[in-house]
Amino acid sequence: MRFVEVVLLEPEKTVVALADAYFFPPFQPSLLPRTKNAPIIPTRLPARRARLVVYNKMKNETSIWISSLKCMLLLGVDIREASSYHQRLFQMFSLQWMPWNMLNVKLLTESDSPMENGYARPVEGIHIVIDVQNNTVIEFEDRKFVPLPPPDHLRNYTPGETRGGVDRSDLKTLIINQPDGPVSVLTWNLRIGFTPKEGLVIHSVAYVDGNRGRRPIAHRLSFVEMVVPYGDPNEPHYRKNAFDAGEDGLGKNAHSLKKGCDCLGLIKYFDAHFTNFTGGVETIENVVCLHEEDHGILWKHQDWRTGLAEVRRSRRLTVSFVCTIANYEYGFYWHFYQDGKIEAEVKLTGILSLGALMPGEQRKYGTTIAPSLYAPVHQHFFVARMDMAVDCKPNEAYNQVVEVNVKVESAGPNNVHNNAFYAEEKNLKSELQAMRDCDPSSARHWIVRNTRTVNRTGQPTGYKLVPGSSCLPLALPEAKFLRRAGFLKHNLWVTSFKNDEMFPGGEFPNQNPRINEGLATWVKKDRSLEETNLVLWYVFGITHIPRLEDWPVMPVERISFMLMPDGFFNCSPAIDVPPGPDVHTKEAESQKDIQAELISKL
């Protein structure tokens, strides 16, 4: 038996919401269901169950098991006592292993150092077909001969390499110090989880809003898929379209973070525990980082009449992890701000996937970055799954989604000065209507609203999804990778919540498209999005045209989007953030003098 994945089977959404209302401070009896004028207090938590994906090598079967954790053994599962059982049979074909440059062969230049950058000398034209079940090589083909690129003196990135660049020896130490300890971020409630596929998962996100208490925003936030298609039609690059979450697992490929490098300041680390293929437990220490960051100015205004100024610094709570998928590194971050914003950010770095060229050859579909070495053009797509619960109490599902576009008013009596524009809203009532694309020209965004809760102006409370820079696939519709990545065809999808619809390419994307699997199939049911549990699937990405400056290691590229309060609060929730500790500076003293002078004149 090979244990492909063992994860916690998460409790039902309503059960979690009920537990949140009771266990998260501040306790709010008004959020709990009532009977005979008394709230129903949860007396026990639901049974803990595990979900297992198990491959039986002898029977050539993949099975899915749901088991109570009390039936779990230390190094496996007592399947005889599993509470329920569901089997899926997959025929395991011979696996064609398409080497991405140096992933299966390690070639060194003139050095035997383990830190040698082997990606700098890729082998072209070799294809190996392996039967992974029997561990036998079925085919070996050497389709073409391309000489190895010559040794490149800029190839390595470890300390001590001589590159003839700028002298950095005068770089001074930067220390982030919190002498009073961490700030108690009382405004945010959330839980932190971690899975083999998704990596970091944020549960039960809520904002504690003064006397209004704990107000839910989202039930579950995570990155559920990541696709990297390449734009070179030549061998072997046209085959490159990795599904890094569904095929490899973002969590499984995460690594330990180092204080002072990956995160600065006062940090809380979390370990991750996984079941390996034999059923044993493996631990990645310090895999999730929780810390606070200074983020510049939060808000400021200076009265030009008096010269008096008020300014507040922004501080955000950041939860993050970093994974290495072969040659690339990806950092995933969730930032929680004092003004109620939530930012999802991805940082891309690592080494380019490269190909060798014949001497003097140029490649149309890539960038030559060193002699006889080039990097193909490609795209990186990420899918964020956001199970929303804006202002929803337990057992409530009163959310809807609207699209907002800015329109230019037509010439006429309503626009006599030709300057008028306005925001137009459209309610997305069903799943097929909610397949949408970004449109920066109309400042397009989407708002999840609670139809039963209003702000002080009588408008529904809501949170809006504000896109950042993004893209759509540049491949033709007939491209083979789009058969299993149909979810890349739109930036936004909205579905009615269903607990087994977790991954946009299906649970086994290497078997996709399968019947009734995947986001593009689920929305064909065209379920209603009116006053229901809404799940937003936001697809965003970057088109990477490699630069010479991306070699030997690509500097971090950042892409992100925002969840922002839209009528959720009655005014700015950041207005009560106190001034910083430097209030007794000369500037503050001079402002006091100005105030005193004005008072004396009055």
Side-chain angles (χ1 to χ4, degrees):
M1 305 295 284
R2 182 174 180 177
F3 293 87
V4 180
E5 183 177 272
V6 180
V7 296
L8 179 71
L9 186 67
E10 296 175 12
E12 293 292 333
K13 187 173 181 178
T14 55
V15 173
V16 175
L18 184 64
D20 291 341
Y22 180 72
F23 289 105
F24 261 128
F27 171 55
Q28 294 171 267
S30 61
L31 294 182
L32 300 177
R34 304 179 73 83
T35 177
K36 294 182 179 180
N37 299 322
I40 299 175
I41 306 299
T43 58
R44 63 175 183 173
L45 295 174
R48 292 174 61 82
R49 296 186 296 165
R51 185 178 188 277
L52 301 89
V53 179
V54 183
Y55 173 63
N56 186 322
K57 183 175 180 180
M58 295 186 66
K59 293 184 178 180
N60 197 24
E61 294 176 354
T62 299
S63 304
I64 298 176
W65 298 85
I66 307 297
S67 178
S68 169
L69 284 184
K70 66 182 180 181
C71 299
M72 300 282 286
L73 304 178
L74 180 61
L75 296 179
V77 179
D78 185 354
I79 58 178
R80 296 169 299 175
E81 303 205 10
S83 57
S84 64
Y85 168 74
H86 174 59
Q87 183 185 82
R88 298 183 184 181
L89 176 64
F90 300 109
Q91 186 63 43
M92 302 296 289
F93 298 99
S94 296
L95 174 66
Q96 185 178 19
W97 186 12
M98 296 160 287
W100 286 25
N101 303 315
M102 305 306 297
L103 297 189
N104 69 324
V105 181
K106 186 172 180 64
L107 293 181
L108 303 181
T109 50
E110 67 277 4
S111 171
D112 290 328
S113 168
M115 298 304 294
E116 180 74 26
N117 184 3
Y119 289 102
R121 309 195 77 191
V123 176
E124 293 289 337
I126 293 179
H127 291 252
I128 306 172
V129 180
I130 301 174
D131 183 337
V132 295
Q133 183 175 2
N134 298 307
N135 292 326
T136 58
V137 176
I138 298 175
E139 295 180 11
F140 180 95
E141 295 184 10
D142 191 351
R143 297 188 177 183
K144 64 179 179 179
F145 173 74
V146 179
L148 286 177
D152 176 19
H153 72 286
L154 299 178
R155 68 189 178 276
N156 287 331
Y157 51 88
T158 50
E161 297 291 337
T162 301
R163 301 181 180 87
V166 178
D167 181 11
R168 308 273 185 170
S169 60
D170 62 344
L171 193 66
K172 301 297 189 294
T173 301
L174 174 65
I175 297 177
I176 306 298
N177 188 24
Q178 293 176 271
D180 301 326
V183 171
S184 179
V185 188
L186 297 176
T187 54
W188 286 107
N189 276 175
L190 55 91
R191 303 183 194 273
I192 293 175
F194 205 85
T195 72
K197 279 188 182 178
E198 303 156 282
L200 177 63
V201 180
I202 308 294
H203 302 267
S204 304
V205 180
Y207 194 96
V208 181
D209 186 15
N211 58 10
R212 298 186 68 174
R214 183 181 179 276
R215 302 176 63 190
I217 297 168
H219 172 69
R220 195 179 192 276
L221 306 173
S222 69
F223 290 94
V224 289
E225 194 50 274
M226 178 182 143
V227 184
V228 187
Y230 280 68
D232 188 341
N234 296 284
E235 288 272 8
H237 308 290
Y238 77 91
R239 300 179 182 270
K240 296 179 180 178
N241 49 84
F243 284 60
D244 288 328
E247 292 180 337
D248 293 317
L250 302 179
K252 286 181 179 178
N253 288 281
H255 48 76
S256 298
L257 302 175
K258 295 181 179 179
K259 190 170 184 178
C261 296
D262 296 293
C263 306
L264 295 176
L266 193 60
I267 300 165
K268 166 63 180 176
Y269 286 112
F270 299 86
D271 298 340
H273 309 280
F274 297 111
T275 303
N276 59 26
F277 288 144
T278 61
V281 176
E282 294 183 357
T283 297
I284 306 176
E285 296 181 345
N286 297 351
V287 73
V288 171
C289 171
L290 171 69
H291 72 295
E292 297 162 348
E293 295 179 336
D294 179 86
H295 197 250
I297 293 177
L298 177 60
W299 61 264
K300 180 175 183 175
H301 179 66
Q302 177 169 305
D303 190 322
W304 61 270
R305 300 171 184 84
T306 64
L308 297 177
E310 290 288 341
V311 61
R312 303 292 187 269
R313 295 292 296 181
S314 175
R315 188 177 301 213
R316 65 187 185 185
L317 181 69
T318 296
V319 194
S320 63
F321 82 104
V322 180
C323 61
T324 298
I325 311 290
N327 52 305
Y328 263 110
E329 269 74 24
Y330 300 94
F332 296 90
Y333 300 78
W334 291 96
H335 305 293
F336 298 87
Y337 292 85
Q338 292 162 301
D339 59 356
K341 292 198 296 284
I342 302 170
E343 181 182 18
E345 182 183 33
V346 180
K347 297 179 182 179
L348 300 83
T349 181
I351 299 177
L352 299 167
S353 180
L354 304 169
L357 298 173
M358 297 294 289
E361 179 186 5
Q362 298 290 324
R363 188 64 62 86
K364 177 180 180 180
Y365 307 100
T367 302
T368 302
I369 62 169
S372 298
L373 191 66
Y374 91 109
V377 294
H378 56 283
Q379 294 181 290
H380 301 260
F381 289 101
F382 306 89
V383 185
R385 181 182 181 273
M386 294 165 282
D387 186 350
M388 304 300 290
V390 176
D391 260 340
C392 287
K393 299 178 182 179
N395 298 312
E396 286 186 353
Y398 297 139
N399 282 178
Q400 66 174 187
V401 60
V402 299
E403 179 176 282
V404 180
N405 289 280
V406 174
K407 300 284 187 177
V408 176
E409 185 65 77
S410 301
N414 292 332
N415 192 16
V416 294
H417 302 292
N418 300 313
N419 69 313
F421 61 92
Y422 60 97
E424 181 180 79
E425 295 187 359
K426 178 184 178 182
N427 187 15
L428 303 179
K429 296 182 179 181
S430 70
E431 291 176 327
L432 290 179
Q433 289 184 18
M435 297 186 299
R436 308 299 296 164
D437 296 329
C438 296
D439 186 359
S441 66
S442 67
R444 178 174 293 171
H445 58 276
W446 301 276
I447 307 176
V448 176
R449 286 186 173 144
N450 187 298
T451 59
R452 307 291 181 95
T453 306
V454 297
N455 51 39
R456 67 173 179 167
T457 65
Q459 302 300 313
T461 61
Y463 254 76
K464 67 179 180 180
L465 167 58
V466 182
S469 60
S470 191
C471 59
L472 289 171
L474 295 173
L476 294 176
E478 297 78 16
K480 291 183 179 179
F481 79 91
L482 288 176
R483 290 175 54 195
R484 61 188 187 131
F487 54 87
L488 297 183
K489 295 179 180 179
H490 297 288
N491 294 119
L492 180 76
W493 307 71
V494 186
T495 59
S496 179
F497 171 80
K498 196 169 182 294
N499 58 10
D500 61 350
E501 294 181 356
M502 285 294 300
F503 302 101
E507 184 167 14
F508 304 99
N510 59 322
Q511 304 279 343
N512 190 279
R514 290 172 51 82
I515 298 175
N516 299 325
E517 283 197 356
L519 183 55
T521 298
W522 299 330
V523 298
K524 291 180 181 178
K525 303 172 187 176
D526 203 22
R527 293 166 292 195
S528 172
L529 301 179
E530 297 271 40
E531 291 199 330
T532 186
N533 283 317
L534 297 179
V535 179
L536 305 183
W537 310 73
Y538 181 59
V539 181
F540 65 112
I542 184 173
T543 299
H544 191 177
I545 311 299
R547 310 169 298 151
L548 269 68
E549 291 83 355
D550 290 333
W551 179 250
V553 176
M554 171 185 167
V556 164
E557 186 85 20
R558 295 172 171 86
I559 55 176
S560 65
F561 67 89
M562 282 280 190
L563 290 172
M564 300 176 64
D566 189 281
F568 191 79
F569 302 102
N570 287 330
C571 69
S572 169
I575 202 68
D576 58 357
V577 172
D582 299 327
V583 292
H584 296 298
T585 60
K586 290 182 179 180
E587 181 181 357
E589 294 296 335
S590 65
Q591 289 187 5
K592 289 182 179 179
D593 293 340
I594 294 172
Q595 271 185 310
E597 183 179 353
L598 288 172
I599 292 173
S600 65
K601 289 181 179 179
L602 291 174

